[in-house]
Amino acid sequence: MTQNLTIRRPDDWHVHLRDGAMLSDVVNYTARQFSRAIIMPNLTPPVTTVTAGTAYRQRILDAVDPSLSFEPLMVCYLTDTIDADEVARGHAEGVFTACKLYPANATTNSSHGVTDIKNIYPVLEAMQRIGMPLLVHGEVTHQDVDIFDREAVFISDVLKDVVKDFPALKIIFEHITTAEAADFVMAAGPNIAATITPHHLEFNRNAIFQGGIRPHYYCLPIAKREKHRLALRNAAISGSPKFFLGTDTAPHTVEAKQSACGCAGLFNAPYALEAYAKVFDEEDALDKLEGFASEFGPRFYGIPLNDGTVTLTRKDVSVPETLDVMDTKIVPFHSGGTLPWTFSRS
Ligand code: NCD
Ligand code: ZN
């Protein structure tokens, strides 16, 4: 049985770091485990200009522990009125790695999101031309579509057309949660990929209602049925370079989660690699973890693989019930539990 697994230093291709005091209190959890991270732009107001992206990147770098080397990869938030030239300039100047499509009101801080995909066709045209990836929150937002169907309907009503109309555009379908999404990505061309979170690999929708309502299992896209979780596990361990690591770590204070209208998102950064290692081990696929965590992402984005390694050791680690942030608490994923793998920077 493998006791120590040493892999190339990984990256996290989907992270919410927030801003201000929250940023300072959460960033080093990600920086300790990952060399680079794609930083989601859903701040208030969202990051929609080169100036805002540059300033946010600097605030992140200022908050990182200087003993950790960490590179934030910035993302531009697409709005109905975003200017294609601004996006292209941000990419040319090395500020923006990618753009994020949030359908309007799909999730936390997405009220400025896109109301009709046709509104951003000029931007998608430019992105296709310059090879800039489009990161997609793949859910329709109409209230007449059941919350558990919103990802599958997004594929048929929106994503299929985008792929057809922009056949060379690099697209990353973020935090996929359904068999339909895994199948769609697998069958698509090499310019279509997906990220998969640890939580969607670990629990299904029953966890949200286990003996009562459990706000710490609520995230968007919402966890689906068991058959979907199993499809995601198959995709993650398949060895296909189309599927790679993106935690979607999304910190909210305990007050914001435990509320009559609680926020969506799990804070999984502190034990992210331990959680993925548990899943790959359960699937007898530890040999597939390095590709998923450290190789497929940079290859898809077209950037060099990291130097250096990290090690996971088969040794229990206890996850605290809460962690201190901003004069209050945050409840991490696996709160109060134990994970069978321990992470160390090797
Ligand atoms: C994210 C957040 O809180 O910013 N929440 C979540 O449930 N994943 C937004 C997102 O990625 O949808
Ligand atoms: Zn997210």
Side-chain angles (χ1 to χ4, degrees), residues 14-16 40 42 100 102 137 175 220 248-250:
H14 189 128
V15 170
H16 299 269
M40 288 295 154
N42 60 330
K100 178 77 186 277
Y102 287 101
H137 182 111
H175 42 49
L220 288 171
D248 194 19
T249 180

Side-chain angles (χ1 to χ4, degrees), residues 168-187:
L169 180 63
K170 274 193 199 183
I171 299 175
I172 301 166
F173 197 163
E174 297 293 333
H175 42 49
I176 58 168
T177 62
T178 57
E180 286 88 342
D183 291 348
F184 178 82
V185 170
M186 194 62 114

